[in-house]
Amino acid sequence: MTLITNPIRYLDPKFDLTFKRLFGNNPRLLKSFLNALLPLPADAPIDTLEYLSGEHAPDLPSFEKYSIVDVKCKDTKGRIFTVEMQLSWAESFKKRLVFGGCQAFVKQLGRGINYSKLQPVYALALVNEIFEHDSDEFYHHYKFTHQSDANCELGCLEFVLVELPKFKAETPIEKELMGLWLQFMNETGKSEQQIPDLKLQSNPDISEAMTQMQESAFNVAEKESYDQYTDKWRTHHTMLNDAEEKGKAEGKAEGKAEGKAEGKFEIAKSMKAKGLDNAMIMELTGLSVADLSKLY
């Protein structure tokens, strides 16, 4: 194998254009990715995949359009898989993930289809922020189980959320391929130029994924679109962080519930001035529609 020594610029696979190119156009790589990350039965890995349309995707508020990328597919057994890349986090996203998984399950039931033909749905979400601050676990697996007997389960829907910032390449994990894929997703494109990790290059699937993320694999229009998208997202993310820090500072300074409430209104005014829509302002501040109406 020829070793690559010159630094190469890689694009970040977590953004819209790159994520869809990587997993929306390469069933073999998507199969490898899902087999590595999903809690599938040991004797029933994914064999082949068929892409599905996004007809059951919910309508999204404008702020979420900069943070969500998804791919939907099914295998030869009929099992359905949804893969989502979530750049920003809010508690409501858990509910949206459940909603999307339930819709994918229900959409199977066409006319004349018996309930016994319904296949399980696996929903995988990669999250680029930490949302479980009281736990060191980065891999969160949810499914429907009996309250007093975890071995008794319905088996219809399973959800996996992965906190990418918590994952470290040296973390002991059961599946080596899972670690390689997560290292790839977590580290690729973080710096302008990189020397490929030989451990990643040693796996043919990861090596191909890295090749596809090289800047040279994208044309001028695609790179311009990618740069515009990432710039908008980084601006959006910076605004959220600024609003959060301001809220913390004002809450600490006031030290009272009334002061904190007043601080929320000031933050909301600032966020509105910076272009955030009402849905996002309410999500971050906890203010209601009626509260916002007092601001304008």
Side-chain angles (χ1 to χ4, degrees):
M1 179 179 66
T2 302
L3 300 182
I4 301 175
T5 56
N6 295 326
I8 300 172
R9 188 195 177 200
Y10 291 92
L11 304 191
D12 193 325
K14 294 186 287 292
F15 290 104
D16 184 84
L17 171 67
T18 48
F19 190 90
K20 286 182 177 176
R21 167 176 285 198
L22 191 61
F23 296 118
N25 298 319
N26 294 281
R28 186 174 68 80
L29 294 183
L30 180 58
K31 180 184 74 171
S32 172
F33 187 69
L34 292 176
N35 277 331
L37 269 72
L38 290 178
L40 301 171
D43 60 348
I46 300 169
D47 184 21
T48 59
L49 289 174
E50 171 191 346
Y51 290 107
L52 301 174
S53 71
E55 63 178 2
H56 63 259
D59 291 333
L60 302 173
S62 59
F63 75 87
E64 291 192 359
K65 293 174 184 176
Y66 288 118
S67 59
I68 297 170
V69 185
D70 61 0
V71 175
K72 301 174 181 67
C73 57
K74 69 177 180 179
D75 68 356
T76 52
K77 299 178 180 64
R79 296 176 298 184
I80 294 175
F81 307 91
T82 67
V83 190
E84 178 177 305
M85 181 66 240
Q86 182 64 54
L87 294 175
S88 300
W89 176 260
E91 282 300 312
S92 62
F93 295 154
K94 285 184 179 178
K95 294 180 180 178
R96 200 208 62 250
L97 185 66
V98 173
F99 177 80
C102 290
Q103 280 212 322
F105 185 74
V106 171
K107 286 286 185 180
Q108 298 178 72
L109 199 63
R111 290 185 177 181
I113 302 298
N114 190 285
Y115 287 110
S116 64
K117 301 296 183 182
L118 290 172
Q119 296 298 315
V121 172
Y122 293 83
L124 170 64
L126 304 178
V127 184
N128 201 40
E129 289 187 352
I130 293 176
F131 59 87
E132 294 288 359
H133 295 277
D134 297 329
S135 171
D136 292 330
E137 296 292 326
F138 68 86
Y139 189 91
H140 307 281
H141 178 205
Y142 305 89
K143 57 184 178 180
F144 297 126
T145 61
H146 194 283
Q147 186 172 355
S148 59
D149 183 2
N151 292 319
C152 182
E153 57 185 74
L154 293 179
C156 300
L157 292 164
E158 297 194 34
F159 304 89
V160 172
L161 286 82
V162 178
E163 295 175 274
L164 286 176
K166 285 184 181 178
F167 174 78
K168 306 298 180 185
E170 67 272 13
T171 303
I173 55 176
E174 294 181 4
K175 291 186 177 181
E176 179 68 13
L177 187 56
M178 178 195 287
L180 292 177
W181 270 117
L182 291 181
Q183 182 182 348
F184 164 79
M185 293 297 300
N186 210 24
E187 297 179 2
T188 303
K190 277 193 172 180
S191 59
E192 282 298 305
Q193 292 185 318
Q194 295 177 316
I195 297 176
D197 188 316
L198 294 181
K199 190 175 182 181
L200 295 180
Q201 288 286 322
S202 66
N203 180 278
D205 292 337
I206 310 296
S207 179
E208 180 180 340
M210 293 194 72
T211 298
Q212 294 201 26
M213 289 300 101
Q214 289 184 18
E215 182 183 33
S216 59
F218 295 80
N219 61 40
V220 174
E222 289 172 331
K223 284 185 284 188
E224 183 177 350
S225 176
Y226 171 86
D227 289 339
Q228 290 176 350
Y229 185 96
T230 55
D231 180 65
K232 288 180 180 179
W233 177 79
R234 289 180 180 122
T235 300
H236 165 80
H237 195 63
T238 299
M239 290 166 60
L240 297 187
N241 286 340
D242 289 347
E244 183 178 356
E245 290 303 316
K246 184 178 180 181
K248 289 178 180 178
E250 292 184 358
K252 184 177 181 180
E254 294 291 345
K256 296 181 180 179
E258 308 88 64
K260 292 179 181 178
E262 184 63 29
K264 286 185 177 182
F265 279 98
E266 292 303 315
I267 293 170
K269 288 179 182 179
S270 176
M271 294 170 76
K272 188 68 176 178
K274 290 181 178 179
L276 271 72
D277 62 23
N278 288 347
M280 190 53 164
I281 294 173
M282 290 188 289
E283 180 67 43
L284 292 174
T285 62
L287 296 175
S288 66
V289 174
D291 291 330
L292 293 185
S293 67
K294 300 175 185 177
L295 301 177
Y296 316 120

